[in-house]
């Protein structure tokens, strides 16, 4: 029988219960109460900010955006979901889907957002909850050791989670193709964003992060946050870093396109960064240290900058002098799951902290790769004046062809980002061809 998503989800929930039972016993708890969280209200207003349900809650309950709800996990008992169902004629009440996972829970609908009363015993309380509430419940709020253990339980994805990440990628792929088309039809950044949302069938508040849609120099702003509404005067480049969420699981994909005014060097840069991305993805396997892949990205980027006539020193010297870090200040990637920058990227499985190297503070994944991890691979190269200009007065400045840098600047930069599963002997790319 073909295994459906529902079968995978039931197996996921069963394994999750076994894992929770182990951790609760190890940390001496009789159970854990997990709060979904709720949206914050704008100051002096009756409108709410956008909201993301707490990751550990969604690890069990596949309803992204569910708020004011509580989940009680106790060994040997069905998970108990207290669903917020206010008597409210302003909004549509929460409706549960007709799916098998619902039967695996004991579900109570309550009109009040207050937490459920806990049975006798020692309970942990996880989530964004104030200390007074925890005290009134007699529970320990966000105990660090248990939280770390449960974070670790999110690092290696179940078959269900991999299927969700696959689907999020498929939908994001539809958006990226539409975004590319909108750019080549002369669309503004806002047009491109709207085309992306339409083709990937999601509203903006459903996105796992705010899409980055950068035309020309905006492509060099790593987390560019605006959507220009007037057409750009030139057509150098487009960088789209945009995602999708399926049952809480995120896609995080970036593509960069050369426009009609792009130089050959920029086209070569896109091709070169894409090759680096492919080479590094091929090197993924269990046992490989991610920081070593990040270091290799800098070596390959140094070689590429030389080949394109942007620098005149060799790769090793470009890395050593900090030239490649000025062209690419972010990490090669990060763990991906219920959060875009998923939990436990900088801890070993036993909880030991694995700090980012001093010269690469933005590296979010410092672990050795294991089968079942899902991560991003996102090498980039940008002209960021704030980072490059300080090199002008240093020895490294003599190794940079500044004319070439200035010619590249109107293109902003390049990032190519895919989402990759570590398999038993290599990697599977979850991102479709775009
Ligand atoms: N979209 C954010 C990132 O790539 O990490
Ligand atoms: Mn991204
Ligand atoms: Mn990313």
């Amino acid at each position: 029988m073909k295994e459906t998503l529902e079968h995978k989800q039931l197996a996921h929930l069963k394994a999750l219960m076994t894992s929770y039972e182990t951790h609760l016993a190890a940390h001496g708890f009789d159970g854990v109460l997990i709060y979904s969280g709720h949206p914050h209200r704008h100051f002096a207003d009756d409108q709410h900010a956008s909201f993301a349900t707490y990751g550990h809650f969604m690890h069990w309950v596949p309803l992204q955006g569910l708020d004011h709800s509580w989940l009680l996990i106790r060994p040997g008992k069905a998970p108990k979901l207290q669903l917020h169902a206010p008597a409210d004629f302003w909004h549509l009440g929460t409706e549960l889907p007709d799916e098998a996972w619902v039967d695996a829970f004991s579900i109570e609908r309550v009109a009040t957002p207050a937490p459920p009363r806990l049975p006798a015993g020692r309970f942990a309380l996880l989530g964004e909850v104030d200390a007074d509430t925890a005290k009134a419940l007699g529970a320990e709020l966000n105990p660090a050791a248990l939280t770390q253990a449960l974070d670790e339980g999110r690092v290696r994805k179940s078959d269900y989670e991999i299927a969700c990440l696959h689907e999020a990628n498929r939908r994001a792929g539809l958006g990226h193709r539409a975004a590319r088309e909108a750019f080549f039809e002369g669309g503004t950044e806002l047009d491109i964003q709207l085309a992306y949302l339409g083709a990937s069938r999601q509203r903006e508040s459903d996105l796992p992060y705010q899409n980055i849609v950068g035309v020309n120099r905006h492509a060099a702003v790593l987390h560019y946050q605006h959507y220009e509404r007037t057409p750009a005067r030139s057509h150098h480049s487009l960088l789209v870093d945009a995602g999708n969420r399926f049952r809480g699981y995120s896609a995080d994909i970036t593509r960069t396109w050369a426009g009609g005014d792009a130089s050959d060097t920029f086209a070569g840069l896109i091709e070169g960064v894409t090759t680096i991305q492919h080479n590094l993805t091929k090197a993924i396997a269990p046992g490989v240290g991610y920081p070593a892949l990040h270091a290799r990205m800098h070596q390959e980027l140094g070689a590429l900058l030389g080949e394109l006539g942007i620098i005149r020193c060799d790769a090793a010297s470009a890395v050593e002098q900090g030239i490649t870090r000025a062209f690419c200040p972010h990490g090669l990637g990060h763990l991906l799951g219920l959060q875009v920058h998923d939990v436990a990227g900088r801890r070993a499985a036993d909880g030991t902290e694995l700090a980012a190297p001093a010269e690469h503070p933005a590296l979010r994944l410092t672990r050795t790769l294991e089968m079942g991890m899902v991560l991003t691979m996102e090498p980039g190269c940008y002209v960021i004046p704030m980072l490059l200009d300080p090199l002008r007065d240093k020895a490294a400045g003599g190794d940079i062809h500044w004319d070439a840098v200035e010619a590249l600047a109107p293109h902003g930069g390049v990032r190519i980002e895919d989402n990759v599963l570590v398999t038993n002997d290599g990697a599977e790319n979850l991102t479709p061809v775009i």
Side-chain angles (χ1 to χ4, degrees):
M1 183 179 65
K2 186 169 174 293
E3 212 183 359
T4 64
L5 189 65
E6 292 213 2
H7 286 107
K8 288 181 180 171
Q9 185 178 19
L10 293 178
H12 165 82
L13 289 172
K14 199 165 164 216
L16 197 53
M17 182 55 94
T18 305
S19 160
Y20 264 59
E21 284 173 352
T22 305
H23 294 308
L24 289 171
H27 293 88
F29 287 103
D30 296 303
V32 56
L33 181 64
I34 309 175
Y35 183 46
S36 60
H38 60 263
H40 293 278
R41 218 169 48 185
H42 298 309
F43 180 65
D45 199 343
D46 63 357
Q47 300 296 309
H48 292 88
S50 69
F51 166 71
T53 306
Y54 181 43
H56 284 297
F57 189 96
M58 282 197 296
H59 208 188
W60 292 89
V61 180
L63 302 175
Q64 64 197 37
L66 186 63
D67 59 17
H68 287 112
S69 296
W70 302 82
L71 179 66
L72 180 61
I73 306 295
R74 283 173 298 172
K77 299 218 167 12
K80 193 168 175 201
L81 174 60
Q82 180 181 296
L83 201 61
H84 186 219
D88 174 3
F89 50 77
W90 297 101
H91 303 99
L92 185 66
T94 303
E95 283 170 17
L96 291 173
D98 182 18
E99 291 172 3
W101 68 267
V102 172
D103 296 331
F105 286 70
S106 148
I107 297 178
E108 187 186 1
R109 292 170 171 273
V110 300
T112 150
R117 279 221 296 277
L118 291 174
R122 182 175 174 233
F123 284 84
L125 176 57
L126 294 193
E128 192 178 13
V129 182
D130 61 62
D132 289 345
T133 304
K135 200 166 162 207
L137 283 166
E140 290 173 44
L141 184 56
N142 295 316
L146 179 67
T147 306
Q148 253 173 45
L150 297 180
D151 284 352
E152 185 60 25
R154 282 169 47 187
V155 169
R156 286 157 298 278
K157 270 54 182 182
S158 65
D159 288 348
Y160 165 71
E161 294 177 291
I162 292 164
C164 291
L165 288 158
H166 230 136
E167 179 60 13
N169 264 263
R170 188 189 68 77
R171 295 177 183 206
L174 300 175
H176 275 276
R177 283 182 212 116
R180 178 180 182 276
E181 225 167 272
F183 172 60
F184 286 111
E185 283 168 3
T188 65
E189 289 174 354
L190 183 64
D191 295 325
I192 296 165
Q193 162 76 340
L194 295 175
Y196 182 94
L197 293 173
S200 57
R201 307 295 299 154
Q202 56 192 331
R203 58 195 288 181
E204 205 163 346
S205 58
D206 288 338
L207 291 169
Y209 57 93
Q210 183 174 285
N211 286 348
I212 298 160
V213 179
V215 167
N216 299 339
R217 286 176 199 265
H218 293 159
V221 182
L222 297 181
H223 285 172
Y224 174 63
Q225 71 275 41
H226 303 295
Y227 303 109
E228 189 61 66
R229 286 147 208 245
T230 48
R233 271 193 236 109
S234 69
H235 213 232
H236 284 90
S237 61
L238 169 69
L239 184 152
V240 178
D241 182 344
N244 187 280
R245 235 173 174 186
F246 179 72
R247 292 173 171 237
Y249 290 88
S250 307
D252 176 12
I253 301 174
T254 309
R255 287 293 180 269
T256 311
W257 308 105
D261 298 324
S263 66
D264 290 347
T265 304
F266 185 69
L269 191 63
I270 294 179
E271 203 183 313
V273 172
T274 303
T275 301
I276 293 173
Q277 205 267 359
H278 290 170
N279 289 345
L280 295 176
T281 300
K282 274 191 219 132
I284 289 178
V288 171
Y290 198 75
L293 293 180
H294 174 82
R296 191 173 145 193
M297 169 184 79
H298 277 276
Q299 289 293 337
E300 295 200 14
L301 189 55
L304 177 63
L305 290 169
E307 281 162 29
L308 293 172
I310 297 167
I311 61 173
R312 55 170 67 90
C313 59
D314 65 20
S317 173
V319 173
E320 204 210 321
Q321 296 186 86
I323 294 175
T324 58
R325 289 204 302 280
F327 278 101
C328 182
H330 60 71
L332 174 60
H334 48 85
L335 293 175
L336 181 71
L338 288 164
Q339 289 163 226
V340 177
H341 298 151
D342 213 6
V343 290
R346 288 183 181 156
R347 282 190 190 282
D350 66 2
T352 313
E353 200 182 331
L354 299 171
E359 66 279 20
H360 299 287
L363 183 58
R364 294 176 193 273
L365 178 51
T366 50
R367 299 178 64 132
T368 299
L369 299 181
E370 293 171 55
M371 179 176 149
M373 286 179 171
V374 173
L375 46 100
T376 68
M377 294 296 279
E378 48 182 305
C381 184
Y382 317 84
V383 177
I384 304 175
M386 189 191 296
L387 299 179
L388 286 167
D389 283 346
L391 297 182
R392 286 180 191 266
D393 303 329
K394 298 192 175 149
D399 280 336
I400 295 174
H401 290 292
W402 291 101
D403 288 355
V405 171
E406 269 139 39
L408 199 57
H411 305 79
V414 176
R415 180 162 64 256
I416 304 293
E417 177 177 24
D418 284 351
N419 304 164
V420 179
L421 166 70
V422 184
T423 61
N424 63 340
D425 60 355
E428 180 191 342
N429 197 336
L430 303 180
T431 303
V433 175
I434 299 166

